[in-house]
Amino acid sequence: MRIDNRTYEGLQRPCYVLEEERLRRNLALIADVSRQADAEIILAFKAYALWKTFPIFKEFISATTASSLYEARLAFEEFGSHAHTFSPAYTDYEIDEIARCSSHLTFNSLSQYNRYCERALSANSSLSIGVRVNPEYSEVGTELYNPCAPGSRFGITADKLPDQLPSHIEGFHCHCHCESGADVLERTLVHIEEKFSRWFPQLKWLNLGGGHLMTRKDYDVPHLINIIKGLHQRYPWLKIILEPGSAFAWQIGPLVSQVVDVVEDKGIHTAILNVSFTCHMPDCLEMPYMPDVRGAETIDDVSLDDAKRLYEKHGYVYRLGGNSCLSGDFMGYWRFDHELQIGENVIFEDMLHYTTVKTCMFNGITHPSICLLKCDGELITLREYCYEDYRDRMD
């Protein structure tokens, strides 16, 4: 079917819609940065893993990054290349298969390195081995997402590394960002180099992790390229790797939902939808953040009394409520330019990154479909969920 992506009129069930044109725009920008900066930029599955779209990705990039056995298998079996793999903790029952599916294997600690390095190389002799380091500096404001907070379980601090690295270590992996700008990378590199550059002559590669949101409208892409060029000038033997997730899937499509009911209590009007924040938009509650809703104005920090007055004055101020039994499965408030009607679409912008990999089937709620809007306007269903998907999770 063909559909107007301004309104998605005609959709009667919830679905995530990936807009191919927007995806290709992001991929072209990322590929250009990779070329100009002479850096390998790879897709992090923790933010985006819709494997049916991998053929599009493979036109622009050649590798991905994994953090688990299943992600490593997805890279190897569906993307068609070995993964750059990091995990906080490898296990006896998974390390061999992870190694076989990986090109790079990064250990979170020297104890994990000592336990599993030789075994991993026995499973795959072509592995390039690295360790994650912690520069003890990050500008991530939300503690839930800060990998360098005091007491972090991620990475090795400089005081714990020997002067001569163990013989198999060829790279350092450092992840300090979350949807950050190039200026943050510039400031972070000061700390990375100050603490760890004395080991760089012993290395072949430096992985600067994810969180580089280069496809965001206000991101200073030329500055990012110059920063990486500067690294090459200072350490010309080091291969530089970036592994963003959100940057690939930034603003490439919405979650389209429909109004099922409108209820009122104490003057507060809640539009109940056929999607759930806790099931289908979990980062909104975890981060937390208010998602943009197409055609509506976000109203921040509103008390119940304020909301009542806003509705009395403007008439179209709503909370948006999910369809789960969790009492807190709602957010608000948004001001619309009309009274919401049963069956009309409510479109949550930018819902492809992180959301699609973190959804759940709590309460047995019907999961939104996943669709691809082709460049020619044709809407294709990639996956439609059914009762058996829920039942088999309980198996």
Side-chain angles (χ1 to χ4, degrees):
M1 64 182 292
R2 297 190 178 276
I3 202 150
D4 184 346
N5 67 348
R6 293 169 297 179
T7 63
Y8 288 101
E9 186 176 354
L11 289 183
Q12 298 177 330
R13 295 189 177 188
C15 65
Y16 300 98
V17 182
L18 192 165
E19 298 184 8
E20 182 182 0
E21 185 175 351
R22 293 188 181 190
L23 173 61
R24 287 184 173 276
R25 192 181 308 146
N26 284 355
L27 287 166
L29 184 150
I30 290 168
D32 189 55
V33 172
S34 177
R35 180 185 57 80
Q36 289 193 56
D38 188 22
E40 185 173 22
I41 305 179
I42 58 182
L43 169 65
F45 285 157
K46 72 175 184 177
Y48 180 95
L50 297 181
W51 59 270
K52 289 183 179 179
T53 64
F54 287 174
I56 301 172
F57 280 77
K58 290 166 66 174
E59 295 178 30
F60 298 88
I61 64 170
S62 59
T64 59
T65 179
S67 297
S68 64
L69 171 58
Y70 293 164
E71 285 189 344
R73 284 189 59 182
L74 194 71
F76 185 64
E77 297 175 12
E78 302 299 341
F79 201 88
S81 65
H82 290 80
H84 293 238
T85 304
F86 161 79
S87 174
Y90 299 107
T91 61
D92 288 334
Y93 50 87
E94 292 183 340
I95 185 63
D96 302 296
E97 192 171 1
I98 285 175
R100 284 191 288 269
C101 293
S102 302
S103 61
H104 296 64
L105 194 71
T106 297
F107 293 97
N108 188 54
S109 67
L110 290 176
S111 60
Q112 279 265 300
Y113 169 87
N114 291 329
R115 183 180 180 94
Y116 290 121
C117 179
E118 294 291 348
R119 183 169 162 182
L121 287 169
S122 295
N124 181 359
S125 61
S126 64
L127 275 175
S128 183
I129 300 296
V131 291
R132 179 163 175 165
V133 294
N134 180 356
E136 302 174 84
Y137 176 85
S138 175
E139 297 185 22
V140 176
T142 303
E143 283 299 287
L144 181 65
Y145 299 100
N146 185 355
C148 298
S152 174
R153 74 189 196 280
F154 290 128
I156 306 165
T157 53
D159 59 301
K160 293 183 174 66
L161 283 174
D163 291 337
Q164 182 62 42
L165 295 173
S167 59
H168 293 300
I169 293 176
E170 297 182 339
F172 279 173
H173 176 281
C174 187
H175 177 62
C176 311
H177 302 117
C178 178
E179 298 185 356
S180 303
D183 57 325
V184 179
L185 173 61
E186 183 176 39
R187 291 190 291 271
T188 303
L189 275 174
V190 172
H191 296 264
I192 293 173
E193 292 182 72
E194 180 182 283
K195 290 179 180 291
F196 296 106
S197 62
R198 67 188 181 99
W199 286 283
F200 287 1
Q202 302 178 46
L203 303 177
K204 294 181 179 179
W205 51 267
L206 176 64
N207 185 328
L208 294 172
H212 312 279
L213 195 48
M214 61 192 77
T215 50
R216 188 177 61 201
K217 186 181 298 185
D218 62 348
Y219 192 96
D220 191 343
V221 172
H223 190 40
L224 171 65
I225 294 169
N226 287 333
I227 289 169
I228 298 174
K229 285 182 175 179
L231 271 176
H232 284 307
Q233 290 172 355
R234 295 191 295 278
Y235 317 104
W237 63 90
L238 283 182
K239 180 179 181 178
I240 305 300
I241 304 165
L242 305 178
E243 48 178 43
S246 295
F248 284 95
W250 188 255
Q251 296 288 350
I252 64 170
L255 171 59
V256 181
S257 68
Q258 289 80 38
V259 178
V260 176
D261 196 8
V262 177
V263 297
E264 179 274 332
D265 183 58
K266 304 295 189 295
I268 308 302
H269 292 72
T270 301
I272 300 179
L273 310 174
N274 54 4
V275 296
S276 160
F277 287 98
T278 192
C279 296
H280 309 135
M281 298 173 277
D283 264 9
C284 295
L285 299 181
E286 288 178 9
M287 187 88 174
Y289 76 96
M290 287 274 286
D292 289 333
V293 173
R294 190 171 302 181
E297 176 189 353
T298 303
I299 304 175
D300 296 316
D301 301 321
V302 176
S303 69
L304 292 180
D305 288 340
D306 290 338
K308 289 164 62 176
R309 284 193 292 271
L310 281 168
Y311 198 92
E312 290 166 0
K313 180 178 179 181
H314 298 282
Y316 310 123
V317 176
Y318 298 89
R319 279 179 174 171
L320 297 178
N323 59 345
S324 81
C325 291
L326 176 70
S327 297
D329 189 5
F330 69 88
M331 295 196 79
Y333 296 87
W334 284 266
R335 180 191 290 120
F336 291 79
D337 61 5
H338 64 281
E339 182 178 358
L340 293 181
Q341 302 296 315
I342 307 302
E344 78 168 274
N345 286 340
V346 171
I347 302 171
F348 293 93
E349 305 284 12
D350 194 23
M351 281 293 162
L352 270 292
H353 59 91
Y354 280 100
T355 295
T356 50
V357 295
K358 295 177 75 172
T359 58
C360 70
M361 287 190 165
F362 167 67
N363 244 178
I365 293 169
T366 301
H367 197 283
S369 299
I370 298 175
C371 297
L372 174 66
L373 183 65
K374 301 286 288 181
C375 293
D376 63 4
E378 183 182 4
L379 188 72
I380 298 172
T381 300
L382 300 179
R383 176 69 188 271
E384 202 165 48
Y385 294 86
C386 60
Y387 163 70
E388 284 73 21
D389 294 305
Y390 169 70
R391 183 199 63 190
D392 291 348
R393 285 184 173 215
M394 306 297 113
D395 218 348

